């Protein structure tokens, strides 16, 4: 296989669906903050706390090495006032104390703890309060957001119970002699140590676990983080605990107070600090699910880089390959056939059941149920009838909880964030998905509205009146929710998808009716902006839907393979399925690649030919500009909507323009195994890259006057048109001058020399770019207008920053960083590329000097004199 960097989560996978995509992997695991300590407070009610019992401590802390107190009689601990529930454990609430009665059969068993917010504080001007680390993928903490996921194992040690967090990162066959060495190198972290308060009638250990949920146990606390808040035990307490056969559900209020380390009220993962608003206490209602991992682990299925499923990774030291082998398994729900069939399809023993959050606005609930059912054809491709269904939330069940790990939910969250996320929780041993949680932020509606206006208003008159009719907005909600559900059933972003459809095909009614405008709803391909009004594409086919790639990927992950008893037994069949991609290109997968984004870019349609598709897109944007004033002006309201529509339309233009830049140093990608012939990476021809730069010079760097609307500017601003259009052009220029892209052009030139082919070199690209942006210099009497002067100044600025980069900015004080989405590490611009840029400035300066005497007006002459002076300073920074 072609080697590719993999990022693996132990127990949670997520993807956020903004216009800046994550890599082909789950979002990063929550960073565990440093341990914080809190003085032990007296217990609140119930049986008095025995002062010889050490407090629960994260990481194995406690009161030195004092011997545990002797267990007491059962009825002195579990009094007649106890509220008892029986299930995975026996759970007792005695006053404010919570006790787990753990039978011997539940000791040394693998479990998973998942913490989610049930209620959170309202947003503040400084941002969300400093609750758990990393809730909501960095978007803030909302009901349903996770704050922790930990593996658990309860062990007895004399009159103590040890709560340990085992790891499954390294493995070995228990019959192999290396197994004991692996075990010795895989000692699970101790989360807490409990004294046994008493023993039940069946010798079950009874322990007081109250502090596990009401103090700063760092692995489980909902409020944590140096510089944010620490849990105040005197204002934190157990709310309820419910036991079920396979899980325990606990809710507690935790109140956080400012840490002595200071810092403002930080966001979910990033911490506060600096000049943030004064810190204050916050309270959250936290919900923990402690779920027993399956007694019989699901048979894992090997992952393949050619197929876009999330993965879990283990290193096996007991193979016969003379080296430790990394094994990757796909994440998927456990779907098994029952004896009930309908034709070639079987009904699953237990279908995947999704519930719609009861707090969702009523008018969107039917559309969310449709989004769930949209995935049924994909599971039919895997051989299952009704493999995924929409469940009904019980109306009067006080024990039913949306946070319960057994309930896979589509949550609706009151956030102004224009986004949605789709994490899932899986068994780290096998990849079995145990729970999915599609989280839809309320202002996803606004994002969809802007997307549809800027990309589809020319083809759908309904989009020219805002707000949209519910029938249209509901369909857009369905699209967004279906995408997130795809993540929760195991699918990554299929970034290569849209590049496998020709530009002319997505303008064909018969094609989009049968195939859609992209092969996958998991692609970052939005509305069909390539379709022209004369194509008469029906409006229902302007919006992405579950497509051929989605069905293929679900088939690969879920279809039963008869006769296979081990993962290795499935390999021959899996290889045959993967090789289907040789003849069906739209089934190929790549979430990211080294070709700078070509073929895996975001927000593209028909990007098998970005030049052609962007040309069609620009035609539609010019038409859309005629609707901006009409759609953005409403009687009795201010001009905010008008400004938003104008800015979003210009932003869409820049997005489409940047698609063309990915062709420089770019190529096509098809991952292959050793049994498949041919190259994985095939560079684009010199002619195609030359044509791409010509398009940019003609259609992007030449001022797009159809974007310049003085009549709109006069309503929304005193000035800003130069900046608006200039910033849009600058986005494209920045992408052209990407460091990695320039390095790859040098790489391509070097290899082309060996292979005796004609390559598009970095020198070719820079010469063509300079010639387009500074084209006026070749005129006999050049006149350069204000828009072009701004672009030319930006060109000098960008090259200057690469030759003389500014000193790194000092890190802001205050909070801890939360990290970001994983990706390929940035490679610095090579010295060879810097030499090329320096040479371009020398050539440009000579041309400017020759043009100054010929300048056609004063403004042009002053501009050229200033540019000459700046270039001299860049080339000689010490003078």
């Amino acid at each position: 296989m072609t080697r590719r960097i993999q990022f693996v989560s132990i127990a949670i996978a997520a993807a956020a669906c903004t216009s800046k995509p994550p890599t082909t992997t789950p979002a990063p695991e929550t960073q565990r903050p440093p341990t914080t300590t809190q003085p032990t407070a007296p217990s609140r009610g119930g049986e008095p706390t025995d002062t010889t019992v050490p407090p629960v401590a994260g990481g194995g802390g406690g009161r030195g090495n004092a011997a545990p107190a002797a267990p007491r009689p059962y009825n002195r601990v579990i009094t007649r006032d106890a509220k008892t529930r029986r299930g995975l454990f026996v759970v007792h609430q005695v006053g404010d104390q919570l006790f787990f009665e753990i039978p011997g059969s539940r000791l040394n068993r693998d479990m998973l703890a998942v913490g989610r917010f049930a209620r959170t504080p309202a947003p503040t001007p400084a941002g969300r309060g400093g609750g758990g680390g990393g809730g909501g993928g960095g978007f803030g903490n909302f009901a349903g957001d996770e704050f922790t996921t930990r593996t658990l194992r309860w062990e007895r040690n004399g009159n103590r119970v040890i709560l340990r967090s085992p790891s499954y990162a390294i493995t070995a066959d228990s019959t192999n002699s290396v197994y004991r060495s692996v075990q010795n190198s895989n000692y699970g972290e101790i989360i807490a140590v409990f004294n046994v308060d008493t023993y039940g009638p069946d010798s079950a250990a009874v322990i007081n676990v109250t502090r596990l949920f009401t103090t700063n146990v760092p692995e489980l606390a909902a409020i944590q983080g140096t510089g944010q808040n620490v849990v105040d035990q005197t204002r934190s307490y157990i709310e309820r605990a419910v036991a079920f056969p396979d899980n325990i559900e606990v809710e507690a209020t935790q109140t956080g107070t400012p840490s002595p380390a200071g810092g403002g009220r930080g966001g979910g993962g990033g911490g506060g600090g600096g000049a943030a608003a004064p810190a204050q206490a916050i309270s959250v209602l936290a919900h923990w699910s402690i779920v027993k991992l399956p007694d019989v682990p699901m048979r894992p299925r090997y992952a393949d880089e050619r197929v876009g499923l999330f993965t879990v990774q283990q290193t096996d030291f007991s193979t016969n390959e003379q080296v430790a082998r990394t094994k990757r398994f796909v994440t998927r729900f456990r779907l098994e056939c029952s004896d009930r069939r309908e034709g070639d399809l079987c009904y699953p023993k237990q279908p995947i059941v999704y519930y719609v959050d009861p707090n969702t606005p009523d008018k969107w609930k039917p559309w969310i149920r449709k989004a769930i059912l949209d995935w049924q054809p994909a599971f039919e491709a895997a051989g299952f009838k009704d493999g995924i269904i929409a469940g009904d939330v019980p109306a009067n069940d006080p024990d039913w909880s949306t946070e319960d790990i057994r309930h896979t939910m589509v949550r609706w969250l009151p956030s102004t964030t224009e986004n949605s996320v789709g994490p899932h929780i899986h068994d780290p041993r096998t990849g079995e998905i145990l729970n999915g949680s599609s989280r839809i932020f309320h202002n996803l509606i606004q994002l969809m509205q802007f997307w549809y206006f800027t990309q589809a208003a020319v083809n759908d008159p309904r989009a020219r009146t805002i707000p949209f009719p519910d029938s249209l907005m509901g369909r857009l909600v369905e699209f967004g929710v279906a995408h997130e559900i795809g993540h929760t059933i195991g699918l990554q972003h299929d970034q290569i998808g849209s590049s496998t459809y020709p530009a002319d095909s997505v303008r064909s009614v018969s094609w989009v009716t049968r195939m859609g405008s992209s092969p996958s709803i998991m692609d970052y391909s939005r509305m069909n902006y390539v379709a022209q009004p004369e194509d008469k594409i029906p409006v229902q086919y302007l919006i992405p839907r579950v497509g051929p790639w989605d069905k293929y990927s679900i088939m690969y992950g879920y279809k039963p393979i008869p006769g296979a008893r081990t993962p290795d037994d499935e390999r021959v069949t899996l290889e045959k399925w993967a090789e289907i991609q040789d003849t069906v290109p739209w089934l190929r997968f790549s979430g990211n690649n080294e070709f700078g984004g070509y073929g895996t870019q975001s927000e593209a349609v028909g990007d098998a030919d970005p030049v052609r598709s962007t040309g069609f897109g620009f035609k539609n944007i010019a038409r859309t500009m005629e609707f901006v004033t009409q759609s953005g002006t409403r009687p009795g309201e201010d001009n905010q909507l008008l400004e938003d529509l104008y800015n979003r339309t210009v932003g869409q233009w820049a997005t489409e323009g940047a698609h063309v830049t990915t062709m420089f140093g770019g190529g096509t990608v098809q991952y292959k195994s050793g049994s498949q012939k041919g190259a994985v990476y095939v560079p684009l021809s010199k002619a195609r890259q030359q044509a791409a730069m010509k398009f940019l010079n003609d259609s992007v760097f030449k001022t797009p006057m159809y974007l310049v609307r003085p009549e709109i500017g006069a309503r929304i601003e005193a000035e800003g048109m130069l900046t608006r259009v200039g910033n849009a052009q600058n986005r494209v220029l920045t992408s052209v001058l990407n460091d990695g892209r320039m390095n790859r052009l040098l790489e391509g030139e070097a290899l082309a020399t060996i292979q005796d082919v004609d390559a598009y070199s970095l020198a070719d690209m820079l010469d063509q770019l300079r010639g387009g942006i500074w084209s006026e210099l070749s005129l006999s009497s050049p006149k350069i207008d204000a828009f072009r002067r701004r672009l030319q100044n930006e060109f000098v600025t960008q090259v200057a920053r690469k030759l003389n980069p500014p000193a790194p900015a000092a890190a802001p004080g205050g909070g801890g960083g939360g990290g970001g989405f994983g990706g390929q590490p940035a490679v610095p611009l090579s010295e060879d590329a810097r030499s090329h840029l320096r040479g371009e400035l020398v050539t440009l300066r000579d041309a400017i000097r020759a043009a100054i005497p010929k300048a056609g007006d004063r403004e042009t002459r002053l501009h050229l004199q200033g540019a000459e002076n700046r270039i001299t300073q860049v080339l000689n920074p010490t003078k």
Side-chain angles (χ1 to χ4, degrees):
M1 288 287 187
T2 303
R3 185 176 66 85
R4 193 161 59 97
I5 295 175
Q6 298 292 329
F7 298 85
V8 180
S9 165
I10 291 296
I12 175 173
C17 299
T18 61
S19 61
K20 294 293 184 183
T23 62
T24 63
T25 65
E29 295 179 61
T30 301
Q31 301 293 314
R32 187 163 68 85
T35 303
T36 55
T37 58
Q38 181 79 359
T40 303
S43 62
R44 300 175 66 245
E47 183 73 14
T49 302
D50 189 326
T51 58
T52 63
V53 179
V56 173
R63 294 184 181 175
N65 297 314
R72 294 173 289 164
Y74 189 83
N75 60 5
R76 286 196 57 200
V77 178
I78 308 302
T79 68
R80 66 182 63 186
D81 297 325
K83 297 177 181 179
T84 299
R85 298 293 295 263
R86 299 182 183 276
L88 178 67
F89 306 150
V90 183
V91 174
H92 307 281
Q93 282 185 264
V94 184
D96 288 338
Q97 304 296 300
L98 179 63
F99 294 86
F100 283 175
E101 185 173 326
I102 307 176
S105 61
R106 298 304 187 197
L107 295 173
N108 304 306
R109 306 295 288 272
D110 292 327
M111 299 181 186
L112 199 64
V114 180
R116 289 175 171 161
F117 295 104
R119 295 183 182 179
T120 60
T124 68
R128 272 282 177 179
F139 305 122
N141 300 320
F142 298 92
D145 282 356
E146 289 175 20
F147 56 81
T148 191
T149 302
R150 302 291 300 193
T151 53
L152 300 180
R153 188 178 294 155
W154 305 83
E155 303 171 354
R156 272 276 303 281
N157 185 327
N159 286 334
R160 283 193 174 102
V161 170
I162 313 299
L163 178 58
R164 193 182 297 276
S165 182
S167 170
Y168 309 98
I170 60 175
T171 63
D173 190 315
S174 60
T175 62
N176 193 292
S177 57
V178 78
Y179 176 75
R180 186 173 295 278
S181 177
V182 168
Q183 292 297 100
N184 291 340
S185 300
N186 206 15
Y187 193 56
E189 170 192 358
I190 294 175
I191 294 176
V193 179
F194 304 89
N195 286 349
V196 176
D197 287 271
T198 187
Y199 289 97
D202 58 352
S203 299
V206 180
I207 57 176
N208 187 332
V209 295
T210 308
R211 294 189 185 92
L212 201 60
F213 306 103
T214 59
T215 66
N216 276 103
V217 178
E219 294 83 357
L220 297 178
I223 293 177
Q224 54 185 235
T226 301
Q228 294 182 341
N229 296 277
V230 293
V231 178
D232 181 350
Q233 187 177 355
T234 65
R235 290 187 277 177
S236 303
Y237 50 90
I238 302 293
E239 296 271 8
R240 63 195 290 264
V242 184
F244 298 98
D246 292 327
N247 56 300
I248 304 293
E249 306 297 317
V250 178
E251 284 189 351
T253 289
Q254 286 192 354
T255 299
T257 56
S259 164
R265 295 187 67 187
Q280 62 188 65
I282 62 169
S283 296
V284 299
L285 180 62
H287 185 109
W288 293 266
S289 290
I290 299 175
V291 59
K292 175 176 67 69
L293 293 178
D295 291 329
V296 179
M298 180 187 74
R299 184 175 74 231
R301 174 164 290 181
Y302 280 116
D304 192 308
E305 69 175 349
R306 294 168 289 181
V307 184
L309 293 156
F310 287 125
T311 64
V312 60
Q313 179 172 301
Q314 298 171 352
T315 302
D316 189 347
F317 286 86
S318 57
T319 69
N320 294 320
E321 299 182 17
Q322 301 179 1
V323 66
R325 178 184 171 195
T326 298
K327 294 183 176 180
R328 295 186 301 115
F329 303 112
V330 302
T331 60
R332 56 179 180 158
F333 280 95
R334 184 185 297 212
L335 277 186
E336 299 171 332
C337 283
S338 69
D339 295 332
R340 185 181 168 210
R341 303 191 66 85
E342 183 174 307
D344 294 334
L345 304 178
C346 71
Y347 285 87
K349 294 178 181 178
Q350 175 59 50
I352 304 169
V353 183
Y354 273 76
Y355 297 93
V356 180
D357 185 349
N359 299 318
T360 302
D362 289 338
K363 62 183 176 181
W364 307 136
K365 289 178 181 177
W367 295 99
I368 293 176
R369 292 178 72 90
K370 280 177 57 64
I372 297 167
L373 300 180
D374 284 344
W375 284 97
Q376 286 193 343
F379 284 96
E380 289 175 2
F384 292 97
K385 178 67 175 178
D386 294 343
I388 183 171
I389 62 175
D392 296 314
V393 175
N396 298 301
D397 184 349
D399 291 333
W400 203 98
S401 170
T402 55
E403 282 75 45
D404 188 335
I405 191 69
R406 298 172 303 164
H407 304 146
T408 288
M409 301 292 303
V410 178
R411 299 291 298 266
W412 194 274
L413 302 175
S415 168
T416 58
T417 300
E418 294 182 358
N419 212 325
S420 53
V421 290
H424 66 254
I425 297 164
H426 58 260
D427 184 338
R429 305 170 303 176
T430 64
E432 178 183 352
I433 296 176
L434 306 174
N435 173 273
S437 178
S438 299
R439 300 202 292 278
I440 311 302
F441 299 119
H442 186 86
N443 267 17
L444 176 69
I445 290 177
Q446 179 169 273
L447 178 62
M448 291 289 183
Q449 200 170 66
F450 287 135
W451 275 348
Y452 200 73
F453 174 83
T454 60
Q455 299 170 30
V458 296
N459 290 305
D460 187 350
R462 296 176 299 171
R464 301 169 199 169
T465 301
I466 296 177
F468 294 166
D470 287 351
S471 58
L472 172 56
M473 195 68 246
R475 176 66 187 91
L476 294 171
V477 168
E478 177 190 354
F479 154 53
V481 172
H483 176 100
E484 299 307 340
I485 288 174
H487 288 314
T488 63
I489 57 181
L491 299 185
Q492 297 186 40
H493 285 128
D494 174 34
Q495 302 288 53
I496 203 173
S498 59
S499 72
T500 63
Y501 281 8
D504 289 338
S505 293
V506 297
R507 296 184 59 194
S508 164
V509 173
S510 60
W511 177 277
V512 298
T513 300
R514 182 168 52 94
M515 303 287 286
S517 56
S518 173
S520 173
I521 201 170
M522 305 309 297
D523 192 356
Y524 265 2
S525 181
R526 313 304 184 183
M527 315 311 158
N528 187 352
Y529 60 78
V530 175
Q532 302 293 288
E534 61 267 24
D535 300 333
K536 300 187 184 305
I537 300 292
V539 293
Q540 64 266 32
Y541 299 129
L542 298 174
I543 302 173
R545 64 182 190 266
V546 173
W549 182 89
D550 308 304
K551 297 173 184 178
Y552 166 80
S553 300
I554 292 297
M555 181 277 295
Y556 183 97
Y558 285 87
K559 187 177 179 65
I561 299 178
R565 303 181 65 181
T566 69
D568 287 321
D569 291 342
E570 297 185 338
R571 280 186 171 275
V572 173
T573 299
L574 295 177
E575 179 63 25
K576 290 179 179 178
W577 289 349
E579 290 182 2
I580 295 173
Q581 299 174 2
D582 286 345
T583 55
V584 188
W586 46 82
L587 301 184
R588 297 170 188 166
F589 169 76
S590 175
N592 199 355
N593 64 61
E594 295 85 347
F595 273 48
Y598 175 73
T600 60
Q601 57 195 326
S602 298
E603 318 297 332
V605 175
D607 46 310
D609 188 347
V611 170
R612 188 168 174 78
S613 292
T614 300
F616 288 130
F618 280 4
K619 287 183 178 181
N620 279 343
I621 286 175
R623 297 175 178 123
T624 301
M625 290 302 303
E626 302 302 323
F627 308 135
V628 170
T629 300
Q630 157 197 337
S631 301
T633 305
R634 294 189 287 192
E637 296 191 13
D638 62 20
N639 294 302
Q640 185 61 55
L641 178 60
L642 177 63
E643 183 176 1
D644 288 342
L645 290 182
Y646 188 23
N647 289 337
R648 300 279 182 142
T649 305
V650 174
Q652 176 66 23
W653 178 89
T655 295
E656 293 177 24
H659 294 158
V660 178
T661 71
T662 63
M663 299 180 71
F664 307 129
T668 60
V669 175
Q670 182 193 350
Y671 296 126
K672 296 181 178 182
S673 70
S675 59
Q676 292 171 284
K677 296 180 180 180
V680 172
Y681 303 99
V682 180
L684 295 179
S685 68
K686 179 178 182 178
R688 288 195 67 186
Q689 296 183 66
Q690 285 176 322
M693 184 58 76
K694 183 178 187 304
F695 176 87
L696 292 182
N697 284 332
D698 293 344
S699 301
V700 173
F701 300 135
K702 180 180 178 180
T703 308
M705 295 308 297
Y706 53 87
L707 297 180
V708 180
R709 296 288 168 149
E711 72 280 7
I712 298 177
R715 291 187 63 89
I716 64 175
E717 61 196 8
E719 56 86 23
M721 195 66 65
L722 272 173
T723 299
R724 177 180 293 103
V725 176
N727 284 349
Q729 292 177 307
N730 190 40
R731 277 181 55 188
V732 182
L733 178 60
T734 300
S735 186
V736 172
L737 296 175
N738 173 271
D739 289 355
R741 185 161 293 124
M742 290 191 284
N743 288 343
R744 279 190 296 278
L745 285 168
L746 291 170
E747 174 88 5
E749 177 189 353
L751 296 179
T753 301
I754 298 172
Q755 298 167 335
D756 195 25
V757 296
D758 194 11
Y760 189 63
S761 67
L762 177 59
D764 291 335
M765 187 198 81
L766 292 176
D767 285 348
Q768 201 175 353
L769 175 66
R770 172 179 46 79
I773 291 180
W774 293 87
S775 61
E776 292 89 346
L777 298 182
S778 63
L779 301 177
S780 60
S781 181
K783 292 184 179 181
I784 306 175
D785 65 32
F787 289 101
R788 291 280 289 179
R789 295 198 300 266
R790 189 187 192 284
L791 175 64
Q792 291 169 0
N793 284 329
E794 189 57 46
F795 174 87
V796 175
T797 297
Q798 290 214 30
V799 174
R801 287 174 180 163
K802 293 181 181 298
L803 295 179
N804 305 310
F821 291 122
Q824 300 290 351
V827 177
L829 186 65
S830 69
E831 286 302 321
D832 193 6
R834 292 177 194 274
S835 296
H836 279 67
L837 290 172
R838 193 172 288 107
E840 284 299 316
L841 287 189
V842 170
T843 302
L844 177 59
R845 184 176 61 179
D846 291 344
I848 290 173
R849 285 173 174 172
I852 289 175
K854 302 183 296 181
D857 55 32
R858 181 172 181 269
E859 290 82 5
T860 298
R861 184 171 62 256
L862 293 175
H863 163 63
L864 294 178
Q865 289 171 341
E868 179 198 10
N869 183 58
R870 288 185 63 204
I871 292 172
T872 298
Q873 291 177 346
V874 173
L875 295 174
N876 303 282
T878 59
K879 293 185 178 180

